[in-house]
Amino acid sequence: MNYDLIVIGGGAAGFFTAINVAENDANLKIAILERGKEVLSKVRVSGGGRCNVTHAEFVPNDLSKNYPRGEKELKGPFHTFMTGDTMEWFDRRGVALKIEDDGRIFPVSDSSETIIDCFLSETNRLGIEVLTNHSVKNFYTENNQWKVKTSQGDFRTTKLMIATGSNPKVWKLLSEQGHDTIDPVPSLFTFNIKDPRIKELPGVVTQASVKVENSKLRSEGPLLITHWGMSGPAILKLSAWGAIELNAFQYDFEITVNWLQHYSQEEALEEIKELKNKNPKQQVFTYAQFELPKRLWQSLVLASGIEKDTRWADLNKSQSKDLSEQLTQGIFKVKGKSTFKEEFVTAGGINLKEVNFKTFESKKYQNLYFAGEVLNIDAITGGFNFQSAWTGAFIAAQAIASGSSEGSD
């Protein structure tokens, strides 16, 4: 069967490409091939089932700074299609979005099904074929067309879009076609830490700065203590920017946590001396200082060798020094990682040097396009990964639709 466009991958980038191509030229014959029984499964679980559509950053250069891999390459594309365009795109299709306090953008419905229903409705309206259980076995050029062999039969198409995310099988096929693919490593994960100082503190959130020992990796922001260790933006940013390096460490490394964020140990020690003078009769353990959560403060006090009934006046030099160290230079051993919620983001994919970012077309093959995580592009958490998928898919769709439909029956 012949098509003008075949999209391999029934995820967000694939649907966004197909819909935008069909809207530009209703005469094109388009099919989406999905290997599984269901489409848009990653959309369904994203944002805790609410679908974090994008992020409220409206300056292209600032938006690009959220991408450990792809920052330079996305600057141009973001000037063509970015956050505001995404919001308008969904608004025109009846999907109301809202901006939350932290900048994340969700459907007003708080349900990813709203986004899925929008995509399925649009593909139905535009006559786009969605073929599930079509596992791609191979694809290659033949007589100026792409031949796609699947578990359900063979297809021909003039233009081919690869939007399969981090599918090792498809990456292998691309490598066989001569494309350089960078092996995937996890890019968004939490740190597994077993430490008595945080064992009883799941759910505690506070601002902190974190650095990875024996590396240049550091970040700051909200840090969430969990049952298995640490999470929150401060940790997730480290996992994204350090994806390659932390994989090389085999997820066995140490981090230094400064619970006071911008205090040095010397500054913390000076503050402790002032507290001794101000509150001599007050028990150190009882009242949290430095605006820290009470349970965290109490845990760090005990970790400094200070008894619960110790008064500030009775704090000796050694205890003061230990407390200042616990507050600003706490060393924690990371032993392993956990997936962030149900989302799985990877670094790796098509080498960005092999992609024309004005069209998202392969530099090696005409009429071969890429969008989404199949590219070596990934971002920190907060809707940024979806935004790069929308941007790439939209720009590719413009390029695809600008050609003729000579490949159709």
Side-chain angles (χ1 to χ4, degrees):
M1 190 177 294
N2 280 17
Y3 289 88
D4 298 297
L5 170 67
I6 284 179
V7 177
I8 301 178
F15 270 79
F16 208 71
T17 302
I19 291 166
N20 281 291
V21 171
E23 283 217 317
N24 274 279
D25 190 340
N27 295 316
L28 296 179
K29 190 174 181 182
I30 302 169
I32 297 172
L33 305 182
E34 167 56 42
R35 61 177 172 164
K37 294 179 181 179
E38 291 187 351
V39 294
L40 299 162
S41 55
K42 193 166 182 180
V43 173
R44 181 168 280 109
V45 300
S46 74
R50 295 198 295 147
C51 189
N52 187 181
V53 175
T54 185
H55 198 95
E57 174 52 74
F58 300 99
V59 179
N61 285 0
D62 291 342
L63 180 62
S64 69
K65 290 175 182 174
N66 294 284
Y67 297 83
R69 283 147 293 275
E71 176 181 355
K72 181 181 70 173
E73 290 81 5
L74 287 171
K75 285 181 182 178
F78 282 155
H79 278 87
T80 299
F81 189 93
M82 61 171 296
T83 309
D85 302 299
T86 298
M87 296 182 75
E88 183 187 7
W89 193 93
F90 282 105
D91 182 65
R92 280 192 281 113
R93 289 158 181 80
V95 177
L97 301 176
K98 61 178 178 178
I99 301 174
E100 300 200 337
D101 291 343
D102 60 3
R104 293 182 301 163
I105 297 174
F106 292 92
V108 168
S109 66
D110 278 330
S111 172
S112 57
E113 294 299 327
T114 303
I115 304 300
I116 293 171
D117 290 346
C118 170
F119 284 155
L120 294 179
S121 173
E122 287 293 277
T123 51
N124 184 58
R125 177 178 71 84
L126 295 163
I128 297 166
E129 294 181 43
V130 180
L131 307 175
T132 55
N133 293 311
H134 277 65
S135 178
V136 173
K137 304 297 184 185
N138 202 2
F139 52 84
Y140 50 87
T141 55
E142 186 178 82
N143 300 324
N144 293 321
Q145 283 193 313
W146 285 95
K147 188 166 185 180
V148 182
K149 301 176 81 68
T150 80
S151 57
Q152 301 288 334
D154 298 349
F155 302 85
R156 287 185 179 274
T157 182
T158 306
K159 298 178 191 260
L160 183 64
M161 160 60 80
I162 309 293
T164 51
S166 52
N167 181 338
K169 187 176 175 182
V170 172
W171 289 18
K172 184 174 182 289
L173 293 174
L174 285 164
S175 295
E176 290 171 359
Q177 295 291 328
H179 264 293
D180 179 24
T181 57
I182 295 154
D183 289 341
V185 298
S187 171
L188 206 58
F189 50 87
T190 61
F191 293 175
N192 292 354
I193 300 170
K194 289 185 178 179
D195 191 290
R197 289 169 291 179
I198 61 171
K199 185 180 179 182
E200 305 299 326
L201 304 181
V204 168
V205 182
T206 189
Q207 295 286 330
S209 62
V210 187
K211 66 177 181 178
V212 176
E213 291 298 301
N214 301 313
S215 84
K216 295 180 180 178
L217 294 169
R218 60 181 64 230
S219 74
E220 59 182 46
L223 185 153
L224 168 66
I225 297 172
T226 68
H227 288 285
W228 59 89
M230 293 182 186
S231 184
I235 298 299
L236 295 169
K237 279 190 281 186
L238 272 184
S239 73
W241 289 99
I244 308 296
E245 199 167 344
L246 300 182
N247 179 70
F249 288 158
Q250 297 184 309
Y251 310 104
D252 187 344
F253 55 93
E254 290 183 338
I255 58 172
T256 299
V257 179
N258 185 342
W259 300 105
L260 305 187
Q261 204 165 5
H262 299 131
Y263 273 70
S264 66
Q265 187 194 347
E266 291 75 18
E267 288 169 334
L269 194 54
E270 284 301 313
E271 189 88 11
I272 288 168
K273 288 176 182 176
E274 287 185 28
L275 286 165
K276 285 185 61 160
N277 294 328
K278 286 181 183 175
N279 310 304
K281 296 182 180 180
Q282 192 180 91
Q283 290 178 338
V284 178
F285 179 85
T286 306
Y287 298 100
Q289 304 296 332
F290 300 96
E291 299 183 354
L292 288 176
K294 186 174 182 179
R295 287 196 295 150
L296 175 61
W297 166 259
Q298 292 179 337
S299 177
L300 296 176
V301 167
L302 295 177
S304 305
I306 301 168
E307 300 291 337
K308 286 185 179 182
D309 58 356
T310 303
R311 298 180 307 164
W312 281 105
D314 300 327
L315 209 61
N316 62 41
K317 283 186 179 181
S318 176
Q319 290 171 322
S320 296
K321 182 174 179 292
D322 287 349
L323 181 56
S324 67
E325 284 183 353
Q326 288 291 344
L327 290 166
T328 62
Q329 296 181 15
I331 303 288
F332 292 85
K333 180 72 176 176
V334 178
K335 202 89 167 156
K337 59 179 173 51
S338 293
T339 302
F340 175 57
K341 296 183 179 176
E342 292 180 53
E343 299 174 42
F344 188 66
V345 176
T346 59
I350 296 294
N351 188 326
L352 302 186
K353 292 179 180 177
E354 299 182 352
V355 180
N356 176 357
F357 281 91
K358 291 182 179 178
T359 59
F360 282 76
E361 186 176 15
S362 165
K363 288 182 179 179
K364 289 183 173 285
Y365 292 95
Q366 272 193 317
N367 298 323
L368 175 62
Y369 298 83
F370 306 109
E373 262 195 89
V374 71
L375 293 163
N376 186 26
I377 292 174
D378 61 284
I380 63 173
T381 183
F384 299 106
N385 283 296
F386 269 138
Q387 183 55 54
S388 64
W390 309 138
T391 295
F394 181 86
I395 292 173
Q398 302 305 298
I400 291 166
S402 67
S404 64
S405 56
E406 54 208 35
S408 61
D409 279 333

